[in-house]
Amino acid sequence: MKKSILDLNKMAASGEKIVYLTAYDYLTAKYEERAGVDMILVGDSLGMVQLGYDTTFPVTMDDMVRHCQAVRRGAPDTFIVGDMPYMSYQVSDEQAVANAGRLVKEALVDCIKLEGSGPDILSRVRAISGAGILTMGHIGLTPQFAGQLGGYKAQGKSADAALRLIEAAKDIENAGACSVLVEGVPAIVGREITKRAGIPILGIGAGSYTHGQLLIYADMVGLYDNFQPKFVKKYADIGAELQKAFSGYCNEVRAGAFPVDAEHAYKISDAEANKLMEILGELVP
Ligand code: KIV
């Protein structure tokens, strides 16, 4: 049964941890739903872990719609959050509502997510929520602000910076968000944000106290090895398994060891095979 925002609120209130994982394609979403994750984020990390860009900036709304659709097909019974890519919501409230609406209307996501907490972003949260769309905020290490943050660095490491994040989470909640994702902050900051929240707080690299945990699936299964954030735990080494499988295939094809016709080829009756050879024999000069 697909969880609704009311179910997620109840889980947060009762202390039952919410399990949140990214996915970008049909197959991964299918396995995640089978495993029983509560929420799937189709993140704009898509750009880095699936499309091969160095950053998330080049990801477009069309990319997001296409991948959210695939994930929805793979996980029809899971609460799906679609990420708003760079410059899909920064320009105006109208632009933000129209693009959030595309993710809901064309890809059937349950919620959208956007980064930041400044006055313009609070206005976007109000506008998108006002249009009836569940909206998740995202604060802390926000990749779309990496330039201003001076890179992909942990946030909230001074008392002042931590206080600003605690206030930001409250501002986003008050603007109408249904949830806030906190990324890359010390555990104490995740804890204080969570203690004060009236909505579910999800964390990625924000310690153990948040209502739920998110990881980028390609990190936790060992597929994305360009770099590994401190907060990732590797639950599998699928990258190494793929490498082994692909190398085995290369070796066997080159050695003539694959395919083995008795196992991997389609059958033809002896009678038809003999007939074919007779015909071919007559044709051969
Ligand atoms: O795009 C994404 O996957 C995200 C996570 C990094 C939080 O926003």
Side-chain angles (χ1 to χ4, degrees):
M1 255 277 277
K2 184 162 103 176
K3 294 203 166 64
S4 71
I5 188 61
L6 300 181
D7 298 315
L8 297 168
N9 287 341
K10 274 191 210 141
M11 289 173 77
S14 70
E16 187 185 344
K17 291 286 185 183
I18 299 169
V19 182
Y20 192 20
L21 205 49
T22 69
Y24 314 95
D25 63 273
Y26 166 80
L27 281 178
T28 311
K30 190 163 80 169
Y31 285 110
E32 291 185 8
E33 182 164 291
R34 281 184 193 165
V37 304
D38 298 307
M39 307 169 73
I40 292 178
L41 170 66
V42 188
D44 64 352
S45 48
L46 163 75
M48 296 170 79
V49 304
Q50 295 274 299
L51 303 180
Y53 299 127
D54 288 336
T55 68
T56 58
F57 294 120
V59 176
T60 65
M61 269 307 297
D62 287 344
D63 292 332
M64 290 308 305
V65 167
R66 173 64 59 92
H67 285 267
C68 286
Q69 287 169 335
V71 169
R72 173 50 82 209
R73 287 191 287 269
D77 296 322
T78 303
F79 188 97
I80 293 177
V81 181
D83 219 357
M84 299 283 284
Y86 182 62
M87 281 302 144
S88 68
Y89 59 96
Q90 283 85 349
V91 174
S92 67
D93 286 356
E94 288 72 19
Q95 179 212 30
V97 173
N99 282 324
R102 279 195 69 191
L103 291 179
V104 175
K105 207 172 161 68
E106 296 176 40
L108 304 177
V109 303
D110 298 288
C111 177
I112 64 89
K113 173 173 88 59
L114 43 71
E115 297 183 11
S117 59
D120 288 350
I121 299 299
L122 295 178
S123 174
R124 307 293 181 265
V125 173
R126 273 190 289 274
I128 298 169
S129 305
I133 298 173
L134 289 173
T135 305
M136 177 180 290
H138 179 174
I139 58 172
L141 197 183
T142 40
Q144 292 180 23
F145 291 80
Q148 287 179 347
L149 300 177
Y152 297 92
K153 294 181 189 323
Q155 301 296 303
K157 291 186 74 169
S158 69
D160 281 351
L163 275 175
R164 281 197 295 278
L165 286 174
I166 292 166
E167 279 168 17
K170 256 310 174 203
D171 288 345
I172 293 170
E173 177 178 342
N174 292 334
C178 68
S179 173
V180 177
L181 175 68
V182 184
E183 176 170 357
V185 302
I188 187 178
V189 180
R191 184 186 73 195
E192 294 309 308
I193 290 173
T194 305
K195 254 170 46 184
R196 288 163 175 74
I199 54 177
I201 302 296
L202 290 316
I204 174 166
S208 62
Y209 297 97
T210 52
H211 295 122
Q213 293 293 329
L214 171 69
L215 281 178
I216 293 185
Y217 102 86
D219 291 336
M220 55 90 82
V221 300
L223 267 179
Y224 187 72
D225 60 4
N226 297 26
F227 65 87
Q228 171 110 5
K230 174 185 170 59
F231 54 79
V232 171
K233 177 172 175 184
K234 242 166 128 178
Y235 286 81
D237 200 352
I238 305 294
E241 286 300 312
L242 284 178
Q243 190 73 63
K244 206 166 98 189
F246 297 153
S247 300
Y249 176 67
C250 289
N251 293 339
E252 290 203 354
V253 169
R254 287 183 185 128
F258 175 83
V260 175
D261 289 344
E263 276 180 63
H264 306 116
Y266 293 105
K267 301 220 179 326
I268 183 171
S269 67
D270 287 349
E272 286 302 314
N274 290 339
K275 192 167 148 193
L276 172 68
M277 294 316 290
E278 261 173 41
I279 298 167
L280 288 176
E282 279 167 20
L283 292 179
V284 173

